[in-house]
Every structure is written in C-alpha cells, then in structure tokens.
Amino acid sequence: MASNYIRFDWAMKRLLRNKANFGVLEGLLTTLLKERIVIQKLLESESNQADEFDKYNRVDLLAENSKGELILIEVQNNNEYAYFQRMLFGTSKLVTEYINRGEGYDKVRKVYSVNIVYFALGHGTDIVYHGKTEFRGIHNGELLELSPFQKQTFKVDAVSQLYPEYYILKVNDFNRVATTPLEEWIYYLNTGDVPDGASAPGLEEVKERLKLERMTKDELNAYYRHLDNIVILRDNIFTERAEGRAEGHAEGRAEGLAEGRAEGLAEGRAEGEKNKQMEIAKNLKKMGLAAEDISRATGLTPEEVEGL
C-alpha cells in the first residue's frame, strides 16, 4: 500500500524548515533524547546541495534548542564507508564554529549529532545506537565525575553531558511491529507511513502537515522523481554489493587453496567489492558527477576516480 505521507528526508529539505512545522522535528528529538526539546531556530548547514547526486543522497539540518544546544540532523541514503569519521568532523566543526575567538572554553556549545542512515553502517544488530564520551580509570574502572562546583556552574550532572553525543538510527533494519514511541518513529522513517494508534510526540504533526494531498502537482512530480532516484540508487548498491560478495567468495576460495582459506576469503571479498565499486564509479562518472561526489559514494579515493 502506498504511503499517504511525505518521506522525512524530503520534508527536511522542503517543509520542516518552516517554523510552523517545527513540531515534527521537536517530536522526533523529544522521543530520541528523552527530554522535551523546543527548537528556537534553524541555523546554516550543508543542506540544499547544488549537485544532483547529493540532492537525493543526503540532507542535513542544524537546529538550536531552547537551552542553546546545537542539534545536527542528517539523513544519508547512500553507503559511505567513512561515515563515522564524517560524524566526528561534523560535530568538531560545530564546536569550533560556534564559539567566538577569545571566549573561554566554558562557552563551548553542547552538540547532538542525529544520523538517520538507510544503509548498513558498521556491524551490529540494533536499530538505534547512542555514543557519548566517558572517562574511566584504567585500574579500577571508576567513572570520572564532575566536582560539585562544575555541576553547579555548567548545570549538568556528568562529564559526558559536556561532550558531543551521537545517535545513529539504522532505519532499514527495522522489520517488526512498533511497540514503543521510538519504534513508531523508526517505522515512519523506514516506510513513510505512521503506524495505527501511534502516540509518539511529533507523529500527529506528521499526519496533519506531511500529507501527500497537501502538495501541488509540480511538487508531487518532483517528489516522485526523488523517490525514483532513491530506489535506483539503492538497487544499484544492493546489486553491486551482492555481486561483489559472490565474486569475492569465489576468488577467496581459489586463493585459499594456496594461502589459507581465511586469508583468501578476506582478500577475495575485498578485491571483489573494490572491482564493483570501480564499475559503479565509472557509471557515475559517465553521468557527469563530480569526482568528489563519486569518491563519497563508492569509497574510492579522488585520485582513483580521476584515473578511471
């Protein structure tokens, strides 16, 4: 059954920047962070990509909440092997950009990085991951805590609250009935539909403000082109990945006869995956995409892309 609601990444780019629609974002963040989030304003981010590939590959949005904290929300449709480092770069950039020269370190802003990914990032079986910074004694495992003065001054209870925090939502891996508010949100992010009886904050706003029927004919045409591009992108990735694994297994078995089964399989998979990524890169290059974009999409270096 077709979805009645607009996909979240399209809504982020076209609709959620309107203050009247902040309730959708506030609902998602309130559910995820487990505290009431009120968005004061949106700030400049990398969104509204000029390149056609990035238009449907990713979108991001930077918000400031009522406590002056920065929240970077990013949707990524395509596989990116260095995505963990990209998350680190994004938060580090915000930390340094949003402090004035000469200000004390006590003015460093709290940053949340919320990443909604539609690809297999890393190796794990959960659908939501949370990362934060803690310091523990290497001898006794004791958690290093703030002094009473620091708690009072910074208005936080733990050292980790001073550092950037990361959330990863691997929405493609969700394949069960939604039973919690967060799972209701994951269900919508995955399918574009709101589950029956959903009570999570923000989903009522989704049903009210993100209906397909609210779009004009031209907006609908652009939206469906966006969906088609995403489907094509994912089909290409899944097909090439499956072929790469198959070829890698075959080559790995052959090499394993001479050099050991385990080593041969690993090398075969890697070589097979590399060959398929190079084929993808060639096709993207024929489409006229920039070398930097092709590099991000395939994991090849810009030099490798230029040499194709």
Side-chain angles (χ1 to χ4, degrees):
M1 183 177 66
S3 168
N4 295 317
Y5 306 106
I6 300 166
R7 264 178 59 101
F8 189 74
D9 57 347
W10 182 267
M12 276 179 58
K13 184 174 285 290
R14 301 297 182 96
L15 302 172
L16 301 186
R17 299 170 191 279
N18 186 329
K19 191 174 180 65
N21 297 329
F22 279 5
V24 174
L25 290 174
E26 291 173 342
L28 170 61
L29 297 173
T30 294
T31 303
L32 182 63
L33 304 183
K34 298 180 180 179
E35 64 172 292
R36 180 75 176 101
I37 299 297
V38 177
I39 295 176
Q40 292 296 102
K41 58 184 176 180
L42 299 183
L43 305 169
E44 288 297 322
S45 69
E46 295 181 283
S47 293
N48 298 317
Q49 310 297 323
D51 185 272
E52 185 64 29
F53 178 76
D54 269 347
K55 283 182 180 179
Y56 58 84
N57 177 43
R58 70 182 180 93
V59 60
D60 56 30
L61 183 151
L62 180 60
E64 180 183 72
N65 67 13
S66 56
K67 296 192 291 186
E69 299 169 330
L70 302 174
I71 304 174
L72 178 62
I73 307 169
E74 180 159 342
V75 176
Q76 177 83 8
N77 283 299
N78 187 32
N79 180 45
E80 185 168 338
Y81 81 103
Y83 192 81
F84 287 113
Q85 293 93 321
R86 175 172 169 170
M87 289 163 50
L88 172 61
F89 177 80
T91 57
S92 301
K93 188 176 179 183
L94 291 178
V95 167
T96 56
E97 284 187 350
Y98 283 90
I99 184 171
N100 295 322
R101 179 173 294 182
E103 284 188 320
Y105 295 127
D106 59 311
K107 302 300 182 183
V108 169
R109 306 277 286 275
K110 171 73 175 186
V111 177
Y112 292 95
S113 173
V114 178
N115 301 271
I116 302 168
V117 299
Y118 289 87
F119 64 95
L121 177 60
H123 181 71
T125 58
D126 208 330
I127 54 173
V128 180
Y129 290 86
H130 177 214
K132 61 182 181 180
T133 300
E134 292 183 334
F135 298 91
R136 292 188 177 274
I138 62 174
H139 295 101
N140 58 14
E142 177 187 63
L143 181 66
L144 183 62
E145 298 182 349
L146 296 171
S147 69
F149 174 75
Q150 288 173 317
K151 290 182 180 181
Q152 181 179 5
T153 302
F154 303 133
K155 296 180 175 58
V156 296
D157 298 318
V159 174
S160 61
Q161 293 174 272
L162 300 174
Y163 284 80
E165 294 186 42
Y166 301 88
Y167 289 87
I168 299 173
L169 285 64
K170 299 174 65 173
V171 296
N172 271 1
D173 295 337
F174 185 75
N175 58 4
R176 56 179 183 267
V177 176
T179 59
T180 68
L182 183 54
E183 288 183 348
E184 291 173 354
W185 261 103
I186 299 294
Y187 183 92
Y188 163 62
L189 295 173
N190 183 13
T191 67
D193 275 322
V194 177
D196 294 335
S199 60
L203 289 183
E204 194 60 41
E205 284 80 359
V206 169
K207 291 192 290 184
E208 178 184 349
R209 298 182 178 277
L210 302 188
K211 290 182 179 179
L212 286 177
E213 63 190 39
R214 294 171 63 103
M215 302 175 85
T216 66
K217 183 177 180 180
D218 289 342
E219 288 172 338
L220 272 175
N221 288 336
Y223 177 65
Y224 287 133
R225 285 196 301 271
H226 171 76
L227 296 184
D228 289 341
N229 283 331
I230 289 175
V231 171
I232 293 171
L233 174 67
R234 291 184 187 169
D235 283 349
N236 286 340
I237 292 171
F238 293 153
T239 299
E240 299 295 347
R241 185 178 297 152
E243 291 178 354
R245 280 198 297 265
E247 183 176 331
H249 278 293
E251 293 183 9
R253 282 193 293 270
E255 293 179 12
L257 294 175
E259 301 180 13
R261 180 178 176 81
E263 182 179 354
L265 282 173
E267 292 180 357
R269 290 191 193 100
E271 185 176 346
E273 186 72 19
K274 183 66 172 289
N275 289 339
K276 293 307 173 183
Q277 292 301 83
M278 293 182 73
E279 287 299 318
I280 294 174
K282 288 179 181 178
N283 291 332
L284 293 176
K285 194 172 182 180
K286 290 177 182 178
M287 294 168 60
L289 295 181
E292 182 180 355
D293 295 329
I294 298 174
S295 175
R296 287 203 306 269
T298 62
L300 301 177
T301 66
E303 292 74 19
E304 289 174 321
V305 174
E306 293 291 349
L308 294 175

